[in-house]
Amino acid sequence: AGLSTGQRVVTVQKGPLYRVRGSHVTLWCKVSGYQGPAEQNFQWSIYLPSAPEREVQIVSTVDPSFPYAIYTQRVRSRGIYVERVQGDAVLLHITELQDRDAGEYECHTPNTDERYFGSYSAKTNLSVIADTLSVSMVPQVLTHTEGDSVELTCEVSKSTIQHTHLSVGWYHLQGARESRAKEVLTLSKDFILSPGPSYVQRFLAGDVRLNKVGNATYKLSIGGAQLSDQGQLYCEAAEWIEDPDETWKDISRKQTGRTSLAVLSQGRDLSVNITAAESSISEGDTLQLNCMVGAQKSSSRHFQVLWLLNGMEVARLDPHGVLILKEEYEERAKLGKLRVFKQSNAVYVLTIYEVGLKDNGTYRCSVLEVKTPGDFHSIQTNLSSGIQVDVKPIGYCMRLSVSTSTPQVMAGDALILLCEVQGATSPVSVQWWHLPPQHRPWVLVATMERDGTLSLGNAYWDRGTPGSLRLEKASSGTFTLVIPNTLDEDDGGRYKCEVTEWSRGRSWTKEEETAVTVSSMAGLGLHATLRSRIVTVRYGQSFELDCRVSASYALEEVPVSVRWLFQPSPSTGHYHELVRVLPSGTVAWGAAQPHFQGKAQLTKAATSFRLRIQTAVAADEGMYQCEVEVWRKNAQPQGQPAATARSNAVGIKVVLPESKLQVATEESSVENAGGADTAIECRIVFAQNNSQFAVTWYVLPPPPADATPLQIVRADYSSILEYGAEFSSPVQKSRFLSQRVSSNIFWLRILSANPRDHGRYYCVVEEWLWLADGWYKLGEGASGKTALEFRLPGERRELQLEKTNRSISVREGEEATLHCLLQGSPLPTTHLSATWFRQEESGRARPLLTLHHDGTIEYPWESLAGRLHLRRPTTGDFSLTLCSVEEGDAGAYHCQVQEWQQQSEGKEWTLQALALSGYTQLTTIPP
């Protein structure tokens, strides 16, 4: 049974629905097309307007623990319950609708199907509106004779904003014990008059009528009163609203007080009836009982009236009006707490002020008719039916309901506790108590006295500043305790509302509790994990970092900020703050790495923060981290956060485009006869089309010098020249030039080459490419070596220099003369040049001074120019004087002399011969 092959469909009462505060409300829900047992289970939840995305569970047919704390007490006390109409249909009952019950209700049916197919829940909206229906009638005690006309009026009004209709009806209670009223005549919501079954004939005859007089007055007219009309009459009005399913629902129904009607027979019959304004009252209230005598021409007849409680006489009023009270009641009458009097010959009144529990019981009145006031023989006697009076103790009717809309919060969130008092008839005082977790005893939080005076418990004095703690009276019976900023777990635990009702020096106290949990964010496992799909990024490519955050509480409900940290590569030893995103969404960029601001994108999902870097460049390479900070909900992000978690580090490497550079590596040689210009070639075999090149020229001096190359000149990708230290003199700069001959060929031009330039030359080419943010070096390549050789004429004259090696010692600060003497005379058509060298520790000879064949002198080291003097007392003497000798001048010195000849006028000078002198070892002596 109950099996179906269709699709599951859950249907709920169509909304929006409007119901009045305090009324009993039902919502229906049914399921069809399901599989499984015939009896399906239902779960009801609500989505409150203050948090439309958050489900608050109310009641379930299967799980007793389903309700949230805010509804637990009402479900337990049957204030909210589910009635099963049949196996697959239920009614949700809310016995006393409250303002906080407004919202979107969801009916959910747990799955019993083999697979999920169809809908498992449905929703409807319920709005709570004020009860504006007003129904009133002036209470009366009427006595009429059979056949008289009776008229009663009832005032009915409403001020509901929604479109509603009214129905008004009159009802009759015949006896004091009768609880079921008979309908007299009703004007329906559709403006149709319908009589009750007992009044149909009289309505058709026109003896019972209902007329509307003005906007709010409804008049009942009864013509020809009958003995059966005797009893109590009242008016009942209902307010109706049309629901979206086009059915009409009475949302409010109210009754007036009752009017007592006595109808006297035209014969000698004596009727006695007893009525009470209220038969259920509380201690200290006033009880008024009316004994109504029905008789023809009662004003000329004589009656004696007895009042009885549980069959015992209370008071007697004789035909003369003399009152006789029993002893106990006589004392109360003297104190003004009891009164018996004759209102008319047909109405006798017993009033007891400040009733007590001893006044409980059944009251009757007995009437004895006599011929004359002094006659002791009765004509007739009649006893009324009994009326039960129920006196309830003070506080008996008082009911408490304690709830919270914040059963589970984080530290820093607000606690809202509600204490609802119903049935109190006197002023009440309210005390809130707190029992922290694992602590005793209860601690007083706050007190509101009967006059509204507020005071805080000693433990809460420092939290009484504005906005820290509030105790408010929201309505006549609703008291709210608000703790806007919970401090820590100790604000959790149990909260108790203690209400005391006061009346005439006595008090009655009731209390109810509720529990809340306050969790500290610091101890609930906040973790951050940083991930990236790629860690090696091509230049210009984008990459994304994903910071995943986890915690044992809902991160969506607390303020969260995130910091992105960056350590550049190569490492500087510490991280810089790239950017911080505050809980408000404000973005604050760090000053240490400003280039990220224009290219970084920040996004946030539920528990994930992402940093996307567009167009990666070399400056983006390094280590990244994220740091997540959780703040208390009502605290500003200042000072210390409630919890912090820093992620692992993720390294991002930015890879430049691969270099395709190829440089020719063949070895070669170039000969020079001396004095001629020479070009050394550097050729690029292959490179990318849009590359630029920087070329650096080097020379490896000939042995015995070591193999350390000397930088001659570097031409960067912008053709800016930078000379090496050995070639930085103006003369050298003018002789060694870097030149780009074509797109792939570079030359080193050596002007007027001489034997000093002997060595192996090569170039180093750097490939540079303009990328997103600047020029980047992709790679480099070195060429093969080109040896520069000097060729002297085949028939040449030998130059003779003094080859003797010497050693001299000179005191620091004095001068030293180093000899270089040519033996023999040069040819008259030749010119001589000479160069002085000092031997370095590496074995390389460092030129100090050169006398060119045209007579000019070159100083490769400008710092020595002022201390070197070449003296030429004779044509063949090239001795060098070193002034102001310093300790660093110590070393081996020698000279080289070259002979140059011009072949003919206007031709270049060519080298004819050269010779080296012996070495002079200079030793310095301290002063």
Side-chain angles (χ1 to χ4, degrees), residues 626-649:
C626 67
E627 183 177 87
V628 178
E629 299 167 325
V630 176
W631 303 85
R632 291 180 175 172
K633 186 172 291 184
N634 296 311
Q636 296 297 320
Q638 312 171 355
Q640 294 299 317
T644 302
R646 182 177 283 201
S647 73
N648 55 295

Side-chain angles (χ1 to χ4, degrees), residues 794-870:
E795 297 179 1
R796 63 181 185 275
R797 194 168 63 87
E798 291 290 337
L799 288 179
Q800 298 294 324
L801 283 180
E802 186 178 356
K803 299 287 189 180
T804 305
N805 294 330
R806 296 185 175 86
S807 294
I808 61 173
S809 297
V810 178
R811 192 173 301 277
E812 292 176 22
E814 297 179 356
E815 64 179 30
T817 299
L818 308 174
H819 296 282
C820 179
L821 299 174
L822 179 66
Q823 296 176 351
S825 298
L827 296 173
T829 59
T830 63
H831 287 186
L832 296 177
S833 67
T835 301
W836 274 97
F837 299 88
R838 186 177 74 184
Q839 206 74 13
E840 301 285 353
E841 291 182 1
S842 63
R844 175 176 168 272
R846 175 183 176 186
L848 302 176
L849 177 149
T850 298
L851 171 67
H852 293 285
H853 59 77
D854 59 1
T856 60
I857 297 178
E858 174 190 348
Y859 296 93
W861 300 92
E862 295 291 340
S863 58
L864 295 176
R867 296 173 51 217
L868 298 176
H869 298 285
L870 189 66

Side-chain angles (χ1 to χ4, degrees), residues 35 68 187 308 317 335 379 407 461 504 511 569 572 682 693 772 805 853 876-877 894 919:
Q35 298 177 347
Y68 279 8
L187 177 64
L308 305 170
L317 199 61
L335 297 172
I379 299 174
W461 278 353
R504 300 177 181 88
E511 60 185 42
S569 178
T572 58
C682 175
F693 305 102
N805 294 330
H853 59 77
D877 190 349
H894 73 279
Y919 288 87

Side-chain angles (χ1 to χ4, degrees), residues 296-368:
Q296 284 185 324
K297 300 178 182 179
S298 61
S299 59
S300 60
R301 296 164 70 175
H302 308 285
F303 303 108
Q304 175 179 275
V305 178
L306 277 73
W307 291 94
L308 305 170
L309 170 59
N310 297 327
M312 302 297 293
E313 184 177 332
V314 175
R316 181 192 297 262
L317 199 61
D318 70 11
H320 293 287
V322 177
L323 176 63
I324 302 171
L325 293 170
K326 290 302 179 181
E327 183 178 350
E328 175 191 346
Y329 294 98
E330 187 174 2
E331 185 65 28
R332 293 171 73 177
K334 289 179 182 179
L335 297 172
K337 295 185 178 180
L338 185 143
R339 184 186 179 204
V340 179
F341 65 96
K342 177 181 177 181
Q343 181 174 303
S344 68
N345 213 34
V347 180
Y348 298 81
V349 180
L350 166 65
T351 304
I352 302 176
Y353 303 97
E354 298 182 16
V355 296
L357 298 178
K358 60 187 177 182
D359 297 317
N360 270 322
T362 303
Y363 287 81
R364 287 184 170 87
C365 66
S366 174
V367 178
L368 173 75

Side-chain angles (χ1 to χ4, degrees), residues 256-527:
T256 65
R258 298 173 183 179
T259 287
S260 297
L261 173 63
V263 180
L264 304 179
S265 171
Q266 292 185 2
R268 297 287 293 170
D269 294 334
L270 178 66
S271 65
V272 180
N273 192 29
I274 187 169
T275 62
E278 287 286 344
S279 60
S280 180
I281 56 178
S282 299
E283 278 186 286
D285 289 346
T286 297
L287 172 64
Q288 180 177 313
L289 299 169
N290 298 323
C291 181
M292 294 180 295
V293 179
Q296 284 185 324
K297 300 178 182 179
S298 61
S299 59
S300 60
R301 296 164 70 175
H302 308 285
F303 303 108
Q304 175 179 275
V305 178
L306 277 73
W307 291 94
L308 305 170
L309 170 59
N310 297 327
M312 302 297 293
E313 184 177 332
V314 175
R316 181 192 297 262
L317 199 61
D318 70 11
H320 293 287
V322 177
L323 176 63
I324 302 171
L325 293 170
K326 290 302 179 181
E327 183 178 350
E328 175 191 346
Y329 294 98
E330 187 174 2
E331 185 65 28
R332 293 171 73 177
K334 289 179 182 179
L335 297 172
K337 295 185 178 180
L338 185 143
R339 184 186 179 204
V340 179
F341 65 96
K342 177 181 177 181
Q343 181 174 303
S344 68
N345 213 34
V347 180
Y348 298 81
V349 180
L350 166 65
T351 304
I352 302 176
Y353 303 97
E354 298 182 16
V355 296
L357 298 178
K358 60 187 177 182
D359 297 317
N360 270 322
T362 303
Y363 287 81
R364 287 184 170 87
C365 66
S366 174
V367 178
L368 173 75
E369 184 180 5
V370 296
K371 280 188 175 183
T372 61
D375 191 355
F376 292 100
H377 299 283
S378 65
I379 299 174
Q380 57 178 326
T381 303
N382 202 349
L383 180 67
S384 74
S385 57
I387 185 168
Q388 181 68 35
V389 173
D390 185 14
V391 180
K392 296 181 175 61
I394 295 175
Y396 178 85
C397 298
M398 184 171 67
R399 300 189 307 279
L400 286 191
S401 172
V402 176
S403 60
T404 176
S405 59
T406 55
Q408 293 181 328
V409 298
M410 305 303 302
D413 290 351
L415 276 185
I416 303 174
L417 301 154
L418 195 67
C419 182
E420 294 179 280
V421 184
Q422 297 174 330
T425 57
S426 303
V428 297
S429 61
V430 177
Q431 285 189 326
W432 281 97
W433 297 81
H434 177 214
L435 185 66
Q438 302 175 353
H439 287 284
R440 291 290 188 274
W442 288 86
V443 179
L444 178 63
V445 179
T447 300
M448 178 180 284
E449 302 294 349
R450 286 173 286 173
D451 60 359
T453 304
L454 296 174
S455 61
L456 297 179
N458 293 340
Y460 288 83
W461 278 353
D462 59 339
R463 296 173 73 170
T465 55
S468 297
L469 188 147
R470 301 193 308 272
L471 174 54
E472 300 171 341
K473 187 174 183 180
S475 63
S476 60
T478 303
F479 300 85
T480 305
L481 176 67
V482 180
I483 303 176
N485 296 296
T486 51
L487 300 179
D488 49 35
E489 295 96 329
D490 284 342
D491 277 341
R494 302 196 66 80
Y495 284 83
K496 176 171 65 178
C497 177
E498 189 177 276
V499 178
T500 303
E501 183 178 6
W502 301 81
S503 179
R504 300 177 181 88
R506 298 181 60 193
S507 63
W508 185 274
T509 300
K510 286 191 176 181
E511 60 185 42
E512 287 290 339
E513 301 176 16
T514 189
V516 298
T517 302
V518 178
S519 302
S520 169
M521 291 177 282
L524 292 182
L526 180 66
H527 298 287

Side-chain angles (χ1 to χ4, degrees), residues 112-190:
T112 60
D113 307 332
E114 293 181 358
R115 61 190 180 95
Y116 280 92
F117 184 52
S119 66
Y120 289 81
S121 65
K123 293 181 180 180
T124 189
N125 272 294
L126 174 64
S127 296
V128 180
I129 60 177
D131 187 356
T132 65
L133 179 63
S134 173
V135 185
S136 62
M137 179 178 69
V138 177
Q140 302 176 72
V141 177
L142 303 176
T143 302
H144 288 277
T145 303
E146 283 181 290
D148 290 349
S149 293
V150 179
E151 287 189 350
L152 300 173
T153 58
C154 175
E155 302 290 330
V156 180
S157 65
K158 65 178 179 70
S159 58
T160 309
I161 297 174
Q162 287 73 26
H163 176 71
T164 58
H165 288 187
L166 289 176
S167 65
V168 180
W170 291 88
Y171 294 85
H172 176 226
L173 281 167
Q174 195 162 30
R177 293 186 178 180
E178 189 173 354
S179 60
R180 186 175 181 82
K182 295 179 181 178
E183 181 184 0
V184 179
L185 186 60
T186 299
L187 177 64
S188 73
K189 66 180 186 304
D190 302 316

